[in-house]
Amino acid sequence: MTAISADARALLSGLLRQALLQVAPASPAATITLERPKQAQHGDFACNIAMQLAKELRANPRVIAQQILDALPASPDLEKAEIAGAGFINLFLTRAYKQRVVARVITAGERYGCGNAGAGRKIQVEFVSANPTGPLHVGHGRGAAYGASLAAILAAAGYDVDREFYVNDAGRQMDILLVSVWMRYLEAAGIAVEFPPNGYQGEYVRQRAGELRAQQGKTFERDAAAVLAGLPQARGDETPEQTEALQETRMDVLIANMKSLLGDELRGMFDQVLARQLAECRDVLERFGVTFDRWYSEQSLYNDGKVAATLERLQAAGHLYEKDGATWFRSTDFGDDKDRVVLRENGLYTYFASDIAYHADKLARGYDSIIDVWGADHHGYIPRVKAAITALGGDAAKLVVPLIQLVALFRGGEPVRMGKRSGNYVTLEELYGDVGVDAARFFYVLRKSDQHFDFDLDLAKSQSNDNPVYYIQYAHARVCSVLAQWGGDMAALAAADTAPLVSAHETALLKRLMEYPEIIEGAARDLAPHNIAFYLKELAGEFHSYYNAERFIVEDAALTQARLALALAVRQVLKNGLALLGVGAPEKM
């Protein structure tokens, strides 16, 4: 262990480990845990190793703690160590050690905070993965902001990250979208068809229909009688449940008629509609600062025979059985609450069947960990997917599923309601067009992902200290203003003598800057982007207090240089943290 270690935890852990070689030589693997005390007078770090060893060494923890202190090697970076309470060891770093963080931040620049906890392990983060049946709405936005921020944090922590969007371009929902577009297409041609109430109602459906007419002309026109042939009619006395069931049956008939009447031409309509939906989705996400390494098609799993091949593997292993004309997966053998259908009696695969194949494909790609960011309503889906992974011989522990809770929008204290099929929803594009990308990205990750989130649109647009993203960005802009007023060579500040940084405000900022690398590591470990958001709020708050209490450009040249260097380091960390969350760092506000 070198005395100039830049990692305080590594430095102190090394010193304690050397002491333990004398105090507890039979316990070389004892876990040394360092925590940051809430009160500054309790030191920079506290360790409970003496209490951990009390039973094994059959001694009072305070006695063991004193023995550790007596054996602790001297270090120019450790000011003192003392015993507190039942046997805690409080450790105090020297002021000079803390002051050196300024040069480290300025020298590392954008890389400050990045570490190697991930050791290059491969992680896939699959997120958003919305059905391409309509515009992305504000609920998708939370998953997008969370997934993109999480992927950036994992990469900063040293993981090799792949970002993936799973395109649900197979199944009944796509059929309903095509029927909806086809009905609007026929309406535009003057063909008398009644639009199904359970079709997709949004204006985007008319847009897709208009694009079909513009590019394909009359290709998909068919006689109304043929389009509506076989539709069951309502008697007029149905219950609401019966009406809903009738509507679904009518939709099934419309889907069948569409496939029969359009034949091979349906593929052309499918490809055009899907391409336009995905193009809009990509565009909306890219303007939101969210990009992917791969867009993976569900339909490709069928086209490439992967669904059939995966079920054959399960069949060969004895994990499938036939009942009531359907094929079932014995998921209860692997902890699920009931078995699951993978092939219906009508010969069609279930969505679960393709999901099994998709996760088998993920495992085959060699990821050390697979992170699926799902909506909270998919909570019950986790055990069956893990069951399938285990049945396929994979390690179910590799699959981690953070859940994204619902988002409720509020404007003027009143809720803004949404509903996708009806077209009455707030799109993600509308949201960030209203409050801005920065505010939307930050607000989405300001709470733990599994907590319900009330998005206050008025607060997100306000220019006040109550608006956390404004508060943080304003701190960054304030540093820029100070440095511009100074007008000197910022590169030279890396070599500034930071010894004059001795005030309470300066000490608090130095300690906060030192924390940043471990904040990233913890956020990556806990899959918690909100940890970065909380940290930035605290750092900004401490800088605002410093700014209000002290002048930066003073008569003492050495003090000026030191304070400007500290301000520059704060600016760098604010910028780095905001970048992980997909938020800009403006120089003027």
Side-chain angles (χ1 to χ4, degrees), residues 70-83:
D70 293 341
L72 201 65
S75 168
D77 295 324
L78 182 63
E79 179 180 304
K80 65 178 180 177
E82 59 187 28
I83 303 170

Side-chain angles (χ1 to χ4, degrees), residues 43-161:
D44 297 299
F45 289 93
C47 182
N48 66 351
I49 187 65
M51 288 180 282
Q52 290 184 47
L53 293 172
K55 183 176 181 181
E56 179 182 340
L57 298 182
R58 298 180 180 180
N60 185 293
R62 287 185 64 90
V63 172
I64 297 171
Q66 186 59 57
Q67 292 173 342
I68 292 173
L69 293 192
D70 293 341
L72 201 65
S75 168
D77 295 324
L78 182 63
E79 179 180 304
K80 65 178 180 177
E82 59 187 28
I83 303 170
F88 286 98
I89 297 174
N90 291 343
L91 300 149
F92 297 77
L93 295 164
T94 65
R95 178 174 289 159
Y97 182 90
K98 298 170 193 173
Q99 290 166 342
R100 289 202 293 272
V101 71
V102 172
R104 292 202 302 273
V105 174
I106 296 173
T107 301
E110 293 180 356
R111 293 295 301 166
Y112 181 70
C114 296
N116 194 39
R121 292 191 293 274
K122 291 183 63 178
I123 288 187
Q124 185 215 48
V125 183
E126 181 229 317
F127 59 108
V128 185
S129 298
N131 289 338
T133 53
L136 297 173
H137 56 64
V138 295
H140 298 130
R142 191 176 191 188
Y146 173 86
S149 298
L150 176 61
I153 291 166
L154 290 168
Y159 292 90
D160 181 4
V161 182

